[in-house]
Each structure stands twice: as C-alpha cells, then as structure tokens.
C-alpha cells in the first residue's frame, strides 16, 4: 500500500493524540485516582501505537506500546502513579513528539530511547514480581477458556455418533500472530466437532510456543470434505490434512489462497458504490483552506474591478446584481474565515506542561490559570504563536516568579501564579500573560542597553519606562540570555516580537516591581484579507492596515508645534510627533503643508506617531499578497493588493517602517 | 451484490485507511462508527455483511460490542482489528464471537482475503 498519502493525516491525528495525552498526564498528576483519565490515557497511547504500526513507524509504535503497557498497570492499580512515573510518561511523550516532528520534517529523528524503555520496563518488572495476581487478563486460565469455548458448540455431535478424524494443520510462519491463527483453527474446529486431543496443548499454541504445526483429533458428524472446506476458508494456513483417525496415509491439501480468492471474487455488480454515510465532520488539509481564502481574495479584487467598471454604466439591474454578488462574496468570506477559525485551546494545551517542567527545574512552584480557551483565531496565526507563547512563559517562570523562599520573604503566596487570558475585541484578539513575580527592573534594563550600545549614553534619561521595557525585545538584549533546555530553541523576546509583528499583531509590556509583569499580545483574527485605509502620497496610493491605525485627523497648520527639528501636534490631549510618510519612503518632492494637514495616527515602536499624508482616499477590504523577490527586499512594504481599476498598490509594513 | 462493510475505529485516520482498502465494486463501506456504542447502533441500522472492529475504544470496547452484536445477530461477521501485543484481547474477542482478526500494520490484500472468506462462509 502506498502509505505516503496517509502521512499528513497520520501526523495531524497523532499530534492531537499526543496533546491530549499531555493534558491527561498533567491532570493525572494532580488526581492520580481518576480512573476515567487513566482509561483515556491508555486508549490514547493505544491509538498512537496502532496508527504508527500501520504506517511502519516502528519507533513510535514501540515506545507508545511501552507507555500503553505502563498505563495498563495504572488501570489495574498495580503501579502507583507517582511523580517519577509521571516523569517517565512525560519523557516518553517528549520522545514521541520528537519522533513525530522528525517524520513531519522528513528528517527521521535518531533518538535512542532504549534506556527509557528499560526504565519503563523496570517499573513494570518490579510491579509484576510484587503483585503476581494482577495479571489474569494476560494469561487466561486454561479451564476458563475451555468452558467458554465449549458453550457455543451447536453442531457438536456426541462422541458415539461421529466419525473420528485427525486434522493436521500447518500455520504459515509468516503470519502475524501464528499462535492466534492456531487458536482460530481450534475455535472453528470446536464449532463443528468435539476436540478429543490437541498437540501441542492449546496454551502453548496460544502463546505461540509451537513449531507452527498442530495436530487435532476430533470427533464430528461432518464429512472429511466438509471439514476441509472449513479449513480452506481460513487464511494463513500453509497446508492441512484431514484423514480418518486410523488412516495411515495423510492426504495433504496444499493451500493456494490466491486462486481461492480469485474464484470467489467474481465481481457481481457494476456501477459506482453507493455512499450512504452520515458525515458529521470532515478533515481537510490546511492547504485547501489556504486555497479557499486565496480564491475569496481574488473574488474581492474582481468585485472591486467590476464596481469600478460599473460606475461608468448606468443600469439598475447591473447595480442590483453587483450589490447582491457583493453581499454573497462577503458571506462567503465570512464562512471561509469561520472554517479557518480554531479555538485558542489548541495553542494552550501544551502550556501547563511547559510551566510545570520549568517550575520543577527551577525549584519553584507555579500555578497556571488559563481563561478564554474558546476564543477563536485563524489557524495560520495560531500555528505561528506556539513558540512565542512558550518563550514568554519561560521568561515568566525563569525570571519573573521568585523562588519559594524569596516569595515567602516578600510576604507573597509561595506558589507563583501565571494567568493567561484570551479576549476578543472586534477583529482583534488579546492574549494577556500576567505573572505575580518580581517584575522587571527598568533601570537595570536601561543600563544594560547603554552598556551594549543599544541606547546612547546621553539618551539614558530620555527613555520612558515603557520604552525601557520594550528594550527587552531588542535583539541585542534578548538573545544574550542564557538558553535553557526546556523550550529547546533559543528564541528570545526579539523573535517573539518579530513573529507577532509579522502576523500583523503587536506586543506590549507592563511591569510593576514586586507585583509582576503583564505581556499583552494583540493579534488580528485573520490573515490575508485585511481592512486598509488608502492614502495618497505624492500621487501614489498606499494602503495602511486599519488595525495599526489609532485614528485619523486633519490638523490645522496653525496648531503645529515645533521643538528643534521635530514637528508635533496635540491630538486628544497628547503631543504626537509628526513624520512625513513621503520622507520615510524616500519619495521625491517636498512636503507642502496645506491649511488642513491629513494625519494618520499609528503606533510604531510603542510610540504614537502621526504620519503626514497628502490625502485620505478610502477604506477598503484588501486581499494582501506577499511580495516576491526582488520587491520583498524593499523595506517598508509587507505586501501588495490590486485595486478595482487594476492598479497594484503596496501595503505598508507598519512594524518595520521606521 | 457488493459486500457491505461497517468500519469501527476511534481513530479517523485508521477508519480512512481501512476505508481505502475497501474501494472498488466488490465492497461498499456502508457506515463508520467511532466507539462500541455507535458500532452496535450502526450494526442494527445497516445490517452490514462484515464489520471491522477495533478493540480499544472509548465508551464501549470492541469486545463488548462484539458480545452484544453476536447475542442479537448470531450470524454477525466481525473481524477484529488489533495491534501486536493484544493476543489476549483478540482471543477474548474470538471467544465472544468474532470470526477473525487482522493485525496492524494492515496488508490490503490480506484484509480483503479475510473479509471475503468470512463472508463466503
């Protein structure tokens, strides 16, 4: 079978299983008696094992099998689920994740998990010798089997009226479980006969402890031909013979399973098979979702074009039709977006584990509270946010939360608290990560920034606290941190910020000494189709994403204030520095200040800035396409979109404009 | 007549994989179930010619489902789908009335062979 087409599905489904295993182990650590969770955990490991075996991923299959075995013993209460057992399970899970990642990246992970397996085995061995009675399920008592088997025998004749036959069978040694095949022969024979003797004994057959040959002596009212017919229907028999008990010459019938199948398999029906399944959910690849959104994006562009052309034609039916189509496209867009939406829970699932591990390593106690798991975000955004969130949490635990002693000394609860809260506000999602640790030392950050040459010494006193906090996102400060081994990769806050920026979000830091730090991530709900404000600069139309705009204003020339070379204006009681978009983009021509100056107030580098433009054009939904090289090298643009009249306009890359 | 198959497995992945084995005119996958409870319901509703039954599933195990199905329909043809290392469970299922078993990783031709044989019985 060609397995490659199953690979994607295997990866995504196994990921889900591993995530829920993770959740279950964490909850079991807190409540080891929860039988329901133990059962669920057992089943999860079992599913992973089966799927991996089907794909031929033997390492995953073997390791999850071992974990399944352990969980089987938890189920029966044979092993106590203590923290060392939990650690073993987590270690197993980590290895499984790595193996899966290897498969995903087509770089098979070369992981030596033999020591882990043997440690898991140790746990099981100890238990087995301690509590030998706990294993009835593995080896059923022979008597029990015999009576159970005997029950459904309907056709079984009494010994006196039947003929006595010797049945020799040879199990195909290449069959997957020869012992089980042997048992199946035994079972089928016992349905039509009374088995008088069997060699080797049935227990040895079941255990696979035989040389693939079994000899039965049976008493039956069936003819030799009938018994042979029954055996012919069985798979994995290399051969068999049936003869009267006292016959000396065996009549060996060589099995040819292939021809047998062909004979039986004459197609009796034409036409495609009916599909009669009730499908509640379907699994689709994310590629398909991306294609859908691309098509909707193209439709939005086409709609703009039609509207542009339609302006010149006065036809009521045309306009009505266009409005209707426009509404339909909007609905379609909404539906496609909602399909792409995924609860943020999938992102949060692994976090309790991260916090637990970090806290244990650092000798701290930390509780993680998560609120707003059901808030939904575009899958593409969620996919990006995994590593950044882990890094933020790592900072919270490593640097924010104090040791138990320090917390006690400061009069705090010895158990640190990290709260993650997701909220939705219009088309933005806020994720707050708040810890009640020691907070950040603004002065120390500033000094470090000066020492590293990130901030000029003379500017030291000009840096506001807010700006100072954001300095931790500067590559010169953040990557210098020691990389701990927990999250694996050394992403610093600069990487966090650049990921957030790249998906059109923003990051804010608030911190109070001794009270803790709050990091707020503001993320757009979706990607690709964004609301933009079109502005005119130097007869060039440019698009600014609406979610980056705080407000627009037309300021009077006379209200401008000037300090040194910097122009500024008071908007909403706040003095906002003005920058010319023309100059930022190094366009030709001088700024001619009209009486009314159009200003777009945006937030850049955590500062409010007024961008001076020539005029506002309009607001529009735009399908933003990424730029290809060499255009992608041009600083300041994040993509391009096409207007109704067919003109291509650039979308400003606000985070990297300055 | 094509052979009507009911596929029971809690993993969508496994169900799809088994479903792909039963393509072609000889078979018709008439339904899928994700646990033992659903399996029993679907069996009653669809009366398939053959069932492929996973063993370890939530709500109700494959073995329990076999027991209940066989009690009501004693000619039910159920093939257990199992992973290696589940010998005792397979044995229990066979004692409960399952006709045969297949072991992961599945070989398509083997699965087809087994299903055809037990249906022909």
């Amino acid at each position: 079978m060609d397995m490659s087409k199953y690979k994607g599905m295997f990866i995504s489904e196994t990921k889900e299983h591993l995530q829920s295993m993770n959740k279950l182990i964490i909850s079991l650590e807190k409540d080891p008696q929860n039988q329901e969770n133990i059962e669920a955990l057992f089943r999860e490991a079992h599913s992973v094992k089966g799927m991996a075996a089907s794909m031929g991923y033997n390492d995953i299959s073997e390791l999850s099998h071992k974990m399944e075995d352990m969980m089987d013993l938890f189920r029966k209460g044979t092993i106590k689920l203590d923290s060392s057992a939990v650690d073993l399970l987590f270690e197993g899970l980590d290895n499984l994740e790595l193996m899966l990642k290897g498969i995903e990246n087509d770089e098979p992970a070369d992981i030596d998990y033999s020591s882990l397996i043997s440690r898991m085995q140790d746990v099981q061995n100890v238990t087995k010798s301690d509590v030998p009675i706990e294993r009835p399920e593995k080896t059923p008592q022979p008597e029990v089997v015999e009576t159970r088997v005997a029950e459904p025998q309907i056709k079984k004749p009494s010994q006196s009226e039947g003929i006595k036959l010797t049945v020799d069978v040879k199990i195909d040694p290449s069959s997957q479980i020869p012992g089980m095949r042997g048992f199946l022969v035994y079972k089928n024979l016992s349905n039509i006969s009374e088995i008088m003797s069997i060699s080797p004994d049935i227990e040895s057959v079941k255990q696979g402890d035989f040389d693939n040959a079994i000899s039965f002596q049976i008493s039956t009212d069936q003819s030799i031909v009938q018994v042979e017919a029954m055996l012919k229907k069985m798979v994995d028999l290399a051969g068999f013979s049936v003869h009267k008990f006292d016959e000396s010459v065996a009549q060996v019938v060589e099995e040819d399973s292939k021809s047998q199948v062909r004979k039986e398999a004459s197609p009796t029906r034409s036409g495609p098979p009916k599909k009669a399944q009730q499908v509640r959910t379907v699994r689709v690849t994310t590629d398909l979702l991306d294609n859908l959104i691309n098509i909707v994006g193209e439709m939005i562009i086409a709609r703009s074009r039609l509207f542009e052309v339609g302006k010149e034609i006065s036809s009521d039916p045309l306009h009505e039709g266009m409005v209707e189509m426009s509404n339909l496209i909007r609905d379609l867009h909404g539906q496609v977006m909602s399909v792409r939406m995924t609860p943020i829970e999938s992102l949060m699932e692994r976090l309790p584990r991260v916090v637990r591990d970090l806290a244990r390593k650092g000798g701290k106690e930390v509780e993680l509270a998560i609120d707003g798991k059901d808030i939904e975000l575009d899958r593409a955004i969620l996919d990006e946010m995994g590593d950044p969130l882990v890094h933020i949490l790592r900072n919270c635990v490593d640097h924010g939360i104090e040791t138990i002693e320090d917390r006690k000394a400061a009069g705090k609860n010895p158990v640190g608290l990290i709260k993650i809260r997701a909220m939705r506000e219009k088309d933005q999602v806020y994720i707050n990560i708040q810890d009640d640790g020691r907070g950040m030392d603004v002065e120390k950050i500033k000094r470090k920034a000066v020492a590293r040459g990130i901030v000029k010494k003379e500017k030291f006193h000009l840096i506001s606290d807010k700006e100072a906090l954001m300095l931790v996102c500067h590559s010169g400060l953040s990557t210098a941190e020691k990389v701990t081994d927990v999250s694996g990769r050394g992403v610093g806050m600069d990487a966090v910020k650049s990921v957030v920026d790249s998906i059109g979000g923003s990051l804010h830091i608030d911190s109070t000494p001794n009270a803790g730090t709050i990091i707020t991530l503001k993320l757009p709900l979706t990607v690709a189709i964004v609301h933009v404000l079109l502005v005119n600069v130097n007869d060039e139309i440019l698009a600014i994403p609406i979610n980056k705009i705080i407000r627009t204003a037309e300021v009077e020339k006379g209200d401008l204030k000037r300090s040194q070379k910097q122009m500024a204006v008071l908007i909403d009681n706040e003095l906002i520095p003005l920058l010319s978009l023309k100059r930022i983009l190094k366009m030709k021509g001088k700024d001619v200040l009209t009486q009314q100056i159009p200003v777009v107030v945006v937030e850049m580098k955590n500062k409010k800035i007024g961008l001076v433009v020539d005029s506002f054009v309009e607001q529009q939904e735009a399908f933003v396409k990424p730029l290809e090289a060499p255009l992608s090298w041009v600083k300041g643009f994040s993509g391009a979109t096409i207007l109704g009249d067919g003109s291509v306009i650039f979308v400003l890359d606000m985070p990297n404009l300055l | 007549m094509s052979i009507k198959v009911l596929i029971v497995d809690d993993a969508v992945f496994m169900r799809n994989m088994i479903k792909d084995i039963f393509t072609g005119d000889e078979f018709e996958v008439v339904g899928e179930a994700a646990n033992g409870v659903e399996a029993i319901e679907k069996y009653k509703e669809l009366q398939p010619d053959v069932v492929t039954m996973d063993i370890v599933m939530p709500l109700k195990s494959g073995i329990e489902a076999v027991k209940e199905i066989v009690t009501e329909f004693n000619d039910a043809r159920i093939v257990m789908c199992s992973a290696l290392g589940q010998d005792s469970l397979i044995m229990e299922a066979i004692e409960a009335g399952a006709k045969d078993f297949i072991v992961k990783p599945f070989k398509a031709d083997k699965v087809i062979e087994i299903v055809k044989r037990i249906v022909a019985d």
Side-chain angles (χ1 to χ4, degrees), chain A residues 165-329:
Chain A
L165 299 174
T166 297
V167 179
D168 292 322
V169 297
K170 180 104 179 144
I171 309 288
D172 184 346
S174 68
S175 71
Q176 281 166 312
I177 315 178
M180 199 55 57
R181 282 285 147 210
F183 177 69
L184 209 57
V185 174
Y186 169 87
K187 181 77 201 317
N188 286 349
L189 278 176
S190 67
N191 281 341
I192 56 167
S193 70
E194 183 171 359
I195 294 170
M196 288 148 51
S197 73
I198 166 173
S199 165
D201 65 283
I202 190 64
E203 277 313 302
S204 306
V205 172
K206 280 192 203 166
Q207 305 291 328
D209 187 14
F210 70 125
D211 62 357
N212 295 320
I214 315 171
S215 182
F216 299 89
Q217 280 172 8
I218 62 171
S219 168
T220 180
D221 59 355
Q222 310 258 309
S223 67
I224 291 180
V225 178
Q226 280 172 313
V227 175
E228 282 175 354
M230 187 277 285
L231 290 170
K232 261 187 196 163
K233 282 187 190 136
M234 298 200 65
V235 290
D236 284 343
L237 297 190
F240 60 81
S241 75
V242 183
H243 48 91
K244 284 238 175 76
F245 191 35
D246 46 5
E247 258 177 53
S248 50
V249 184
Q251 179 193 353
V252 175
V253 184
E254 274 303 322
E255 257 272 84
D256 182 356
S257 56
K258 292 283 178 268
S259 68
Q260 186 74 21
V261 170
R262 254 180 251 125
K263 248 186 281 162
E264 289 166 18
S266 56
T268 49
R269 171 201 146 120
S270 57
K274 261 195 310 189
K275 297 267 180 240
Q277 302 146 26
Q278 300 170 317
V279 181
R280 275 179 230 127
T281 54
V282 287
R283 219 166 248 270
V284 293
T285 64
T286 43
D287 286 356
L288 182 62
L289 294 182
D290 289 343
N291 290 343
L292 273 178
I293 199 72
N294 281 343
I295 292 169
V296 173
E298 297 289 352
M299 284 174 82
I300 288 174
I301 290 174
R303 176 186 66 185
S304 309
R305 279 192 70 180
L306 279 179
F307 267 88
E308 206 58 38
V309 176
K311 275 182 196 164
E312 289 154 22
I313 303 164
S314 75
S315 156
D316 284 348
L318 174 69
H319 289 146
E320 279 165 26
M322 302 246 283
V323 169
E324 199 174 325
M325 184 195 69
S326 185
N327 288 341
L328 288 173
I329 292 177

Side-chain angles (χ1 to χ4, degrees), chain A residues 550 571-572 574-578 601-610:
Chain A
I550 296 166
I571 298 175
D572 295 337
E574 210 174 328
L575 193 64
I576 295 185
L578 295 181
V601 182
V602 294
E603 195 169 275
M604 279 201 272
K605 312 250 167 195
N606 265 353
K607 261 193 209 159
K608 282 184 187 167
I609 286 170

Side-chain angles (χ1 to χ4, degrees), chain A residues 492-548:
Chain A
M493 280 303 284
D494 58 331
V496 172
K497 187 162 186 305
S498 76
V499 169
V500 172
D501 285 343
S502 72
I503 54 177
S506 59
L507 181 153
H508 301 267
I509 304 175
D510 251 319
S511 190
T512 317
N514 288 322
T517 302
I518 305 175
I519 292 182
T520 305
L521 306 175
K522 198 164 134 188
L523 306 173
L525 272 183
T526 65
V527 284
I529 296 174
V530 292
H531 236 93
V532 293
L533 173 71
L534 300 180
V535 296
N536 188 332
V537 181
N538 235 20
D539 287 330
E540 192 80 54
I541 308 281
L542 294 167
I544 304 176
I546 293 273
N547 62 17
K548 295 290 179 189

Side-chain angles (χ1 to χ4, degrees), chain A residues 71-222:
Chain A
M71 285 159 207
D72 191 35
L73 297 174
F74 297 142
R75 273 207 302 187
K76 296 172 186 158
T78 328
I79 310 186
K80 237 185 85 200
L81 233 170
D82 54 12
S83 65
S84 70
V86 168
D87 284 343
L88 272 181
L89 287 174
F90 271 138
E91 201 179 329
L93 193 61
D94 287 344
N95 278 310
L96 290 177
E97 274 169 357
L98 285 175
M99 291 166 181
L100 188 66
K101 197 140 216 162
I103 292 167
E104 198 174 2
N105 300 335
D106 284 321
E107 290 167 6
D110 190 15
I111 300 165
D112 182 13
Y113 54 96
S114 54
S115 112
L116 175 61
I117 294 264
S118 72
R119 276 178 287 138
M120 287 179 168
Q121 189 59 49
D122 287 347
V123 174
Q124 292 172 44
N125 288 345
V126 168
T127 330
K128 275 178 195 164
S129 55
D130 283 354
V131 196
I133 323 123
E134 290 286 350
R135 300 184 60 232
E137 214 183 280
K138 291 269 171 189
T139 42
Q141 300 298 306
E143 316 83 70
V144 179
V145 175
E146 300 295 348
T147 48
R148 275 204 232 151
V149 169
E151 272 168 1
Q153 295 175 8
I154 341 153
K155 294 178 201 158
K156 192 176 78 177
S158 73
Q159 269 191 43
S160 57
E161 59 187 80
I163 47 166
K164 292 189 177 64
L165 299 174
T166 297
V167 179
D168 292 322
V169 297
K170 180 104 179 144
I171 309 288
D172 184 346
S174 68
S175 71
Q176 281 166 312
I177 315 178
M180 199 55 57
R181 282 285 147 210
F183 177 69
L184 209 57
V185 174
Y186 169 87
K187 181 77 201 317
N188 286 349
L189 278 176
S190 67
N191 281 341
I192 56 167
S193 70
E194 183 171 359
I195 294 170
M196 288 148 51
S197 73
I198 166 173
S199 165
D201 65 283
I202 190 64
E203 277 313 302
S204 306
V205 172
K206 280 192 203 166
Q207 305 291 328
D209 187 14
F210 70 125
D211 62 357
N212 295 320
I214 315 171
S215 182
F216 299 89
Q217 280 172 8
I218 62 171
S219 168
T220 180
D221 59 355
Q222 310 258 309

Side-chain angles (χ1 to χ4, degrees), chain B residues 1 7 25 27-28 34 39 59 62 65 83 86 89 92 98 105 108-109 117:
Chain B
M1 280 293 286
I7 297 172
D25 289 350
F27 299 100
E28 181 190 352
L59 296 179
Q86 286 188 316
L89 291 177
E92 206 183 317
D109 48 354
R117 285 190 178 207

